[in-house]
Amino acid sequence: MTTSSQHPPPPQTIRKLIVDVVGARDLLPKDGQGSSSPYVVVDFDGHKKRTSTVCRDLNPKWNESLEFEVSDPMRMDNEELEIEVFNDKRMSNGNARKNHFLGRVKLYGSQFKKKGDERLIYFQLEKKSVFSWIRGELGLKIFYSDELVVEQKNEDAPPPEKEQPPAVIGEDGRVLEVPMPTEVAMEGSQLPPVVIIKEAPPVVMVQPEHNLHYYYHQQVPQPEQPPPEVRKMQTGRNGENERVRVYRRSNGDFSPRVISGKFTGETEKIYPAYGLVEPMQYLFIRIVKARGLAANQSPYVTIRTSSHLKKSKPAIQRPGDTPENREWHQVFALAHNKPETASSTLEISVSDLQSEHFLGCVYINLSDVPVRDPPDSPLAPRWYRLEGGGDCPHSAAVSGELQLSVWIGTQADDAFPESWSSDAPNVAHTRSKVYQSPKLWYLRVTGFSPYEHDEEAPTVTRRRFFWHEDLVFVAGEPLEDNLILIVEDRTMKDPALLGHVMIPVASIDQRLDERHVASKWFGLDGGGGDGPYCGRIHLRLCLEGGYHVLDEAAHVCSDFRPTAKQLWKPAVGILELGILGARGLLPMKSKGGGKGSTDAYCVAKYGKKWVRTRTIADSFDPRWNEQYTWQVYDPSTVLTIGVFDNWHMFAEVVDDQPDSRIGKVRIRVSTLESNKVYTNSYPLLVLLRTGLKKMGEIEVAVRLACPSLLPDTCAIYGQPLLPRMHYLRPLGVAQQEALRGVATEMVVAWLARSEPPLGPEVVGYMLDADSHTWSMRKSKANWFRIVAVLAWATGLAKWLNDIRRWRNPVTTVLVHLLYLVLVWYPDLVVPTGFLYVVLIGVWYYRFRPKIPAGMDTRLSQAETVDPDELDEEFDTIPSSKQPEIIRLRYDRLRTLAARVQTVLGDFATQGERVQALVSWRDPRATKLFIGVCLAITVILYVVPAKMVAVSLGFYFLRHPMFRDPMPPPSLNFFRRLPSLSDRLM
């Protein structure tokens, strides 16, 4: 077979892929009339083209050629070609509501033939999902050709004609209509078509730009009396070749979208550890040491290629070595994505740091550099003799040798994480690293009683104090701190120190369950440990290993395991994350010439494991292509991914300069299907004082590798979310929130001691440290969430009201019949209810989310937030605003609180009215209620229950002509009952 990898294009050529759509056979009828009007959509490398529509033919013939330009011929083997067949709904006389899917064919670049070797092949049409009903074959001829690029300048030559989209061909051979644009001609599109009856097809082109569609319409003569179904394109002017701009409201700018996963399958076969990301080639140079140099020199190495210039750190001399020997042990990684020409040379020169004197050079032809795959052992370095620099006047004095190794690898190479790939002054702040959160414990202190003794009579007790309180602290490993308890007498105006005790945390007992821990007596010291004996205190101390110490918000928690490792359950799967890159980042800092720049890196957090990618300097479209894995112990957890701008990579930046936020994305693990790769692009959104701002997009690939219906996985959904101790000895909500703040501070301090450190602004942003602060926007969002949850009840009440009003008599009669069946056969009530739930679940399967959801701006009320409310959300505690602004906000909060107060009072009133039915606060109302209850009791004893149920149901569903427009007597009676609101002051 002739593949693209065997015939790379020569220089100054472009490669084009030609797809000849010949025809199809035995398609499925989808227009409701026993036929279909098929057309074909071809998608390659992000570009889509379509054929014309053949009207009502199950064996259509197109014989059309669609041409695509191959952007990267060297990687054409990995490109995916997707060809889909649809039924055109416009040929179905209005019977079809969407363009029905008729089948698809997926091919890869390795299957493409070179021009001259192609042949007609009928491919079997494939299904899109399990429930698709597909049949038939599609005849295709696919080949590629390399064309020589010739630049010609001819001012008299006419401009190239714009490609005309295919038209819809009728049964009589006439052009019936211009098809919908490619972007909206997919399945389920709701854009109305533009229909023009004409022998020659008009020119209609669509160009997407910033979510706005521009239509180029070449005016053609219209028939005098167009048919009623024809819709004309309305324009503001009637000129030739005029440009009509149609604005459509952007509805998907902040929504995640699926991106092409063209590198996933092939990469996973070659690099199993990097199966979700694109392999990136790097030129690795390991500089080990030198020998034979002058003793009084401080050498450094300079690496030059056609596109890179790197300098090493000064060499060092190991103790015991001769002065002529120097060592570096430094690895450089240079981007090597573009193939070098045969004449490309790697130049490695050695110079003196003090005098800049040239000491020698090594030349290596890049075409001779070996390629190293991850399973191979490290390449052994070898000695290279230093040569002169040609025109250098000191060439004759060159001497010495340099030990180095050069190879080509990818980011999967074990030397890549510690390599020098940036020119930043602080290179350590640009490398990828993996961090671990500290192991945190709850320290419980239960105090009982201290005793104070008289110095003159140490055996006689002067005063005794009693209390019984639980104090809970957070302690982190290594347990090197001390627990200090101070006892003071606060009965006097000035508190008096009675004593203190210092207990090493490492000496405290650890417990994993609710077992009893023995209490101990501890002697109190005074005066900093050198004072006299001041009594003793009775305490019960223990380190709680059965709790999970929360360091992040509970609704976005990534781990629920207890502290004690003995209580951990086995993992249920592995979460794989491929951080591909980002697109369209905004400039975060300014550099010389008034230009902006962004030095972005990515941080991901799940469980105790934090990962940080390398920093891509000065790029608005960084490509990381790094892959990480985590063990999943509970699927009801959240993976958090954040993007930041690096400020600490510059030597002149002080430590107080925080890294800027670019945005973050959360992915709930339980929403991922098992063993499915999600390759999506998520918007990076930041809420600033000025409003919502889109900072760019991040591209990630996620996969949850676990059995879908493993018994252990299914059993997790029936287990408690938190460890057992949270239910046996629960912590209060306020107490747990306070402990979470302390745990967050400990995690911040722990990660700040790493190298490179994760700053407090990064850790706090990833852990949602400020999620508990007051925000009017969040309050509105939670209110609308409650309204959305109760929407089904509102819809059910509206449906019942329509049934009672006989809006649809047929439906009301059917409800009467169903009610009769359920009353007469009550055993069917529960099964019917569960059957309806099953049917509802099956119905909503069609609308299930196809990709994990990102941040929802509409749900967060971020698009319609008031500027003053947003400014209040970012205000500090205590407030830093002027008194007038604080007074206005306080009055607004009082108004809102008054509404909440009224609603709470109404709820209390309804409950008190229920209690007033039998409390005899209103004697007449209670007598009436008791009498009615007695009558109902007698009736239910005498009349069969089924007859009563039928009578009540038919009375409830009676026709409006038998209804009174006024409220029913029962409701009037309930509203007249007394409540306790009249007794409020």
Side-chain angles (χ1 to χ4, degrees):
M1 181 193 302
T2 303
T3 61
S4 60
S5 59
Q6 296 173 350
H7 294 274
Q12 305 298 327
T13 62
I14 59 174
R15 175 165 293 179
K16 291 187 177 182
L17 177 68
I18 296 91
V19 181
D20 284 347
V21 184
V22 179
R25 298 186 300 204
D26 194 24
L27 296 179
L28 197 69
K30 285 291 184 78
D31 62 353
Q33 301 175 2
S35 184
S36 292
S37 300
Y39 67 91
V40 178
V41 177
V42 183
D43 185 358
F44 179 74
D45 198 15
H47 300 281
K48 293 184 179 181
K49 294 185 179 182
R50 58 157 288 174
T51 66
S52 59
T53 300
V54 179
C55 185
R56 298 181 184 177
D57 193 349
L58 297 180
N59 299 284
K61 297 294 182 182
W62 289 283
N63 293 315
E64 298 183 16
S65 294
L66 304 179
E67 186 176 282
F68 299 88
E69 184 174 338
V70 181
S71 59
D72 191 353
M74 301 301 297
R75 291 180 177 171
M76 193 179 73
D77 288 355
N78 299 325
E79 295 285 352
E80 180 181 296
L81 175 66
E82 185 172 0
I83 307 167
E84 296 180 326
V85 186
F86 294 92
N87 170 52
D88 199 331
K89 67 176 182 180
R90 294 166 295 169
M91 298 288 98
S92 303
N93 296 330
N95 296 330
R97 294 179 297 174
K98 61 180 181 179
N99 295 329
H100 290 285
F101 178 74
L102 298 179
R104 68 177 177 182
V105 175
K106 276 191 176 182
L107 302 173
Y108 290 91
S110 58
Q111 300 173 263
F112 300 163
K113 297 283 187 178
K114 194 173 182 179
K115 186 176 182 180
D117 299 335
E118 76 279 2
R119 59 190 179 91
L120 176 61
I121 301 177
Y122 277 87
F123 295 91
Q124 189 72 29
L125 292 175
E126 302 174 358
K127 298 181 179 181
K128 181 180 290 187
S129 63
V130 180
F131 301 100
S132 300
W133 185 23
I134 300 300
R135 79 179 186 198
E137 297 175 337
L138 182 63
L140 302 171
K141 291 169 63 177
I142 304 174
F143 58 93
Y144 66 91
S145 63
D146 298 326
E147 299 180 2
L148 185 65
V149 178
V150 180
E151 296 184 1
Q152 296 180 352
K153 295 183 179 180
N154 187 359
E155 298 179 355
D156 299 332
E161 296 183 359
K162 297 181 179 179
E163 181 183 358
Q164 296 184 0
V168 180
I169 304 173
E171 297 176 344
D172 54 356
R174 291 194 311 156
V175 176
L176 292 184
E177 59 183 2
V178 178
M180 298 167 60
T182 304
E183 290 79 357
V184 295
M186 300 296 100
E187 180 178 3
S189 175
Q190 300 299 323
L191 186 68
V194 180
V195 183
I196 302 175
I197 304 297
K198 187 63 184 174
E199 298 296 332
V203 178
V204 179
M205 298 188 66
V206 181
Q207 175 186 359
E209 179 181 352
H210 302 292
N211 297 318
L212 299 176
H213 294 266
Y214 302 88
Y215 290 80
Y216 295 89
H217 180 207
Q218 181 177 355
Q219 188 179 8
V220 296
Q222 299 291 334
E224 298 180 359
Q225 294 181 353
E229 66 273 13
V230 173
R231 298 188 181 183
K232 296 182 181 179
M233 181 177 293
Q234 301 296 330
T235 62
R237 296 176 300 174
N238 292 326
E240 215 168 326
N241 295 329
E242 63 179 325
R243 175 169 174 168
V244 182
R245 176 173 295 185
V246 181
Y247 290 89
R248 285 197 232 152
R249 183 179 179 182
S250 174
N251 194 26
D253 193 25
F254 296 146
S255 301
R257 57 184 177 86
V258 179
I259 60 178
S260 174
K262 55 188 177 182
F263 300 104
T264 302
E266 198 68 26
T267 306
E268 191 171 7
K269 298 177 183 177
I270 305 175
Y271 306 100
Y274 287 78
L276 300 182
V277 298
E278 173 188 357
M280 302 177 66
Q281 284 192 345
Y282 289 89
L283 177 65
F284 290 91
I285 304 101
R286 183 189 297 274
I287 309 296
V288 184
K289 55 186 176 181
R291 66 185 180 187
L293 303 179
N296 58 351
Q297 293 174 342
S298 178
Y300 71 93
V301 175
T302 302
I303 300 174
R304 290 185 178 89
T305 64
S306 59
S307 56
H308 297 90
L309 176 62
K310 301 288 183 181
K311 292 184 179 181
S312 72
K313 60 185 179 181
I316 60 175
Q317 180 181 356
R318 297 290 182 182
D321 289 349
T322 60
E324 293 82 6
N325 295 343
R326 298 289 191 273
E327 295 185 4
W328 285 275
H329 294 287
Q330 189 173 356
V331 181
F332 293 88
L334 310 180
H336 194 68
N337 294 331
K338 295 182 179 180
E340 301 286 349
T341 61
S343 60
S344 298
T345 303
L346 172 64
E347 177 185 339
I348 305 174
S349 60
V350 184
S351 305
D352 184 29
L353 181 63
Q354 299 177 356
S355 62
E356 295 295 334
H357 182 70
F358 178 78
L359 303 180
C361 185
V362 174
Y363 297 96
I364 300 175
N365 193 340
L366 290 181
S367 61
D368 300 331
V369 175
V371 177
R372 176 177 178 260
D373 292 329
D376 296 343
S377 300
L379 189 66
R382 58 183 295 261
W383 290 99
Y384 290 84
R385 184 178 299 278
L386 295 177
E387 303 175 0
D391 299 334
C392 179
H394 305 281
S395 298
V398 169
S399 64
E401 292 179 316
L402 184 64
Q403 190 184 67
L404 56 91
S405 59
V406 182
W407 71 94
I408 295 176
T410 65
Q411 70 270 35
D413 200 293
D414 52 6
F416 180 75
E418 297 298 330
S419 63
W420 290 49
S421 57
S422 174
D423 294 329
N426 295 334
V427 181
H429 289 264
T430 64
R431 293 172 176 164
S432 57
K433 292 293 181 181
V434 177
Y435 307 85
Q436 285 289 336
S437 295
K439 188 177 182 180
L440 302 179
W441 296 75
Y442 280 148
L443 172 59
R444 189 184 296 273
V445 180
T446 305
F448 292 100
S449 60
Y451 294 83
E452 184 180 356
H453 297 272
D454 191 351
E455 294 182 6
E456 298 179 357
T459 59
V460 180
T461 301
R462 286 184 53 189
R463 287 187 292 174
R464 176 178 294 179
F465 306 92
F466 293 94
W467 68 84
H468 190 289
E469 293 186 18
D470 264 353
L471 304 178
V472 182
F473 303 89
V474 180
E477 291 187 358
L479 303 174
E480 300 174 348
D481 297 332
N482 294 322
L483 174 64
I484 303 176
L485 284 87
I486 300 176
V487 181
E488 294 180 349
D489 184 6
R490 293 181 176 264
T491 58
M492 297 178 291
K493 183 177 180 180
D494 296 329
L497 178 63
L498 301 181
H500 74 276
V501 61
M502 184 178 298
I503 306 171
V505 178
S507 63
I508 299 177
D509 295 336
Q510 301 177 3
R511 73 171 182 178
L512 310 181
D513 49 18
E514 69 278 11
R515 66 177 176 85
H516 178 73
V517 177
S519 58
K520 299 180 181 179
W521 289 95
F522 296 90
L524 295 176
D525 298 329
D530 299 330
Y533 174 74
C534 300
R536 57 180 182 170
I537 186 172
H538 193 199
L539 299 174
R540 178 182 293 130
L541 306 175
C542 67
L543 288 169
E544 300 281 6
Y547 288 88
H548 170 71
V549 181
L550 288 173
D551 57 354
E552 50 194 343
H555 61 281
V556 293
C557 192
S558 62
D559 189 14
F560 294 104
R561 290 175 294 170
T563 301
K565 197 171 183 178
Q566 301 91 319
L567 302 178
W568 291 2
K569 297 180 180 179
V572 297
I574 295 177
L575 179 64
E576 300 176 77
L577 172 66
I579 305 175
L580 305 179
R583 298 288 185 187
L585 298 182
L586 298 182
M588 304 299 297
K589 58 174 74 75
S590 60
K591 60 180 182 180
K595 297 181 180 180
S597 67
T598 300
D599 308 305
Y601 68 93
C602 187
V603 176
K605 195 263 182 186
Y606 183 77
K608 298 294 183 182
K609 181 179 176 181
W610 300 63
V611 299
R612 170 178 176 160
T613 67
R614 67 189 186 280
T615 300
I616 307 298
D618 195 12
S619 176
F620 299 131
D621 300 311
R623 308 302 296 175
W624 292 292
N625 284 303
E626 299 184 18
Q627 183 169 338
Y628 301 93
T629 60
W630 289 267
Q631 286 188 327
V632 177
Y633 294 88
D634 194 326
S636 302
T637 46
V638 177
L639 169 67
T640 305
I641 308 168
V643 183
F644 302 88
D645 180 58
N646 197 337
W647 279 89
H648 293 85
M649 59 186 291
F650 303 103
E652 65 274 7
V653 176
V654 296
D655 295 336
D656 296 337
Q657 177 66 43
D659 291 345
S660 303
R661 305 173 180 178
I662 298 181
K664 68 179 176 182
V665 176
R666 299 193 195 101
I667 299 176
R668 184 164 290 275
V669 178
S670 60
T671 61
L672 304 177
E673 296 185 15
S674 300
N675 307 314
K676 179 181 179 181
V677 179
Y678 295 87
T679 307
N680 305 319
S681 175
Y682 293 90
L684 294 172
L685 307 174
V686 173
L687 195 61
L688 305 174
R689 291 180 180 270
T690 56
L692 181 68
K693 191 173 185 180
K694 182 180 179 181
M695 310 297 292
E697 293 184 355
I698 182 173
E699 299 176 355
V700 297
V702 188
R703 173 170 56 192
L704 176 61
C706 72
S708 57
L709 293 177
L710 189 69
D712 295 339
T713 307
C714 297
I716 289 179
Y717 284 88
Q719 297 175 358
L721 190 64
L722 294 171
R724 190 166 179 263
M725 287 296 294
H726 284 271
Y727 304 97
L728 298 179
R729 300 193 63 178
L731 301 173
V733 176
Q735 183 183 23
Q736 194 160 340
E737 191 64 29
L739 293 174
R740 186 177 80 89
V742 176
T744 301
E745 295 176 358
M746 297 183 67
V747 174
V748 168
W750 175 272
L751 296 178
R753 293 194 294 266
S754 304
E755 186 64 30
L758 281 180
E761 71 281 356
V762 175
V763 180
Y765 184 58
M766 296 291 291
L767 295 179
D768 276 343
D770 56 350
S771 61
H772 62 282
T773 57
W774 158 256
S775 170
M776 183 70 74
R777 175 187 60 84
K778 295 180 181 178
S779 302
K780 290 181 179 179
N782 291 333
W783 166 253
F784 285 111
R785 288 172 59 195
I786 296 175
V787 172
V789 169
L790 299 178
W792 70 270
T794 306
L796 180 61
K798 184 179 179 181
W799 180 78
L800 286 176
N801 184 64
D802 293 342
I803 295 297
R804 295 180 65 224
R805 299 292 180 184
W806 289 70
R807 301 286 173 80
N808 190 341
V810 177
T811 305
T812 305
V813 171
L814 292 177
V815 169
H816 279 76
L817 296 177
L818 177 62
Y819 183 74
L820 280 175
V821 172
L822 294 180
V823 169
W824 224 254
Y825 300 99
D827 297 341
L828 298 179
V829 174
V830 176
T832 303
F834 281 100
L835 178 61
Y836 284 166
V837 173
V838 171
L839 295 178
I840 291 173
V842 173
W843 172 260
Y844 277 103
Y845 180 79
R846 308 171 52 197
F847 313 104
R848 69 191 187 280
K850 301 300 177 59
I851 61 177
M855 299 293 184
D856 194 330
T857 57
R858 184 172 300 176
L859 180 66
S860 304
Q861 298 294 312
E863 297 177 340
T864 58
V865 61
D866 185 80
D868 185 63
E869 296 176 357
L870 197 59
D871 184 68
E872 180 184 12
E873 182 176 346
F874 284 93
D875 195 8
T876 58
I877 298 178
S879 177
S880 58
K881 299 298 179 181
Q882 298 179 356
E884 294 79 6
I885 298 178
I886 298 177
R887 186 180 297 109
L888 290 175
R889 293 176 177 174
Y890 177 66
D891 294 340
R892 182 179 61 195
L893 186 61
R894 289 177 61 190
T895 303
L896 177 63
R899 298 177 183 174
V900 176
Q901 171 184 294
T902 303
V903 174
L904 294 177
D906 292 340
F907 275 108
T909 297
Q910 308 308 322
E912 291 166 354
R913 285 173 176 171
V914 174
Q915 294 177 346
L917 289 172
V918 292
S919 65
W920 294 89
R921 288 198 61 206
D922 187 342
R924 286 174 292 275
T926 304
K927 290 178 182 178
L928 287 174
F929 179 72
I930 293 176
V932 171
C933 290
L934 180 61
I936 293 175
T937 303
V938 173
I939 293 174
L940 291 179
Y941 271 115
V942 175
V943 182
K946 294 182 180 180
M947 299 299 297
V948 175
V950 170
S951 302
L952 292 177
F954 277 44
Y955 176 78
F956 178 77
L957 299 174
R958 66 191 184 278
H959 197 275
M961 63 182 300
F962 301 109
R963 297 180 184 275
D964 189 356
M966 302 303 292
S970 57
L971 184 59
N972 296 332
F973 175 79
F974 182 78
R975 288 176 176 175
R976 291 178 177 274
L977 293 173
S979 65
L980 300 181
S981 58
D982 55 347
R983 300 171 62 178
L984 292 175
M985 298 182 63

